[in-house]
Amino acid sequence: MTQKTARLISRIGHPISLLLTFLVYFLFSIHTPLKAFWTLIIILSLGILPLIAWNLYHSRKGLYSNFDVSIRTQRSSMYRFILLLAVIVLTALWFSNQPSNVIIGSLVLIQLLLLAFFINYKTKISLHVAIAVYTGFGLWEINREFSMVIWAVTPLIAWSRWYLGRHLAIELFLGFVLGCLCGIEILYFI
């Protein structure tokens, strides 16, 4: 039962799930429904869906241990691909005349991913935790209750990653610190 619970929490708290939830809520809060829809389509088609396809392909071919890319040495190629996709998405957002808070939030997310990439040369970092904390900060000005819910479930996400043997305590802590640093930047610059 506990293994199933940990897997469920880990899937719900997956960085892609959290970012997608955040984006839907955020974009439909700041844009007209039509602009929010098309912005979401840009992000999905240029960023999220290619990443899902990349991780599925590499995990099915045995190049990655699993979809989450849990082995540190396998993460470098994933980070490079994510960063490429992030720059493509940022460029598309720029040309679609997004407001400054969308561009700044995207830049800070790229910074988070770039820092995680460099940290990965020494130790693995929990992107589950980093993205959970980051999205909590990203929602703070729009819906503080939703933000606090995300922060409240972050320890459960961390527990699930630890329980499943995907991360050590230090990797979870580093994810928390990175998410906080980048999240505070969002509050400061937006």
Side-chain angles (χ1 to χ4, degrees), residues 17 34-35 59 65 104 130-131 177 189:
S17 301
L34 185 61
K35 176 111 178 174
S59 58
S65 59
I104 291 169
I131 297 297
V177 170
F189 288 113

Side-chain angles (χ1 to χ4, degrees), residues 33-45:
L34 185 61
K35 176 111 178 174
F37 173 77
W38 284 112
T39 304
L40 193 58
I41 292 298
I42 289 169
I43 296 167
L44 277 170
S45 62

Side-chain angles (χ1 to χ4, degrees), residues 90-109:
L90 178 63
T91 303
L93 292 175
W94 177 268
F95 283 110
S96 67
N97 295 318
Q98 295 296 318
S100 63
N101 55 354
V102 173
I103 301 301
I104 291 169
S106 299
L107 285 169
V108 174
L109 178 59

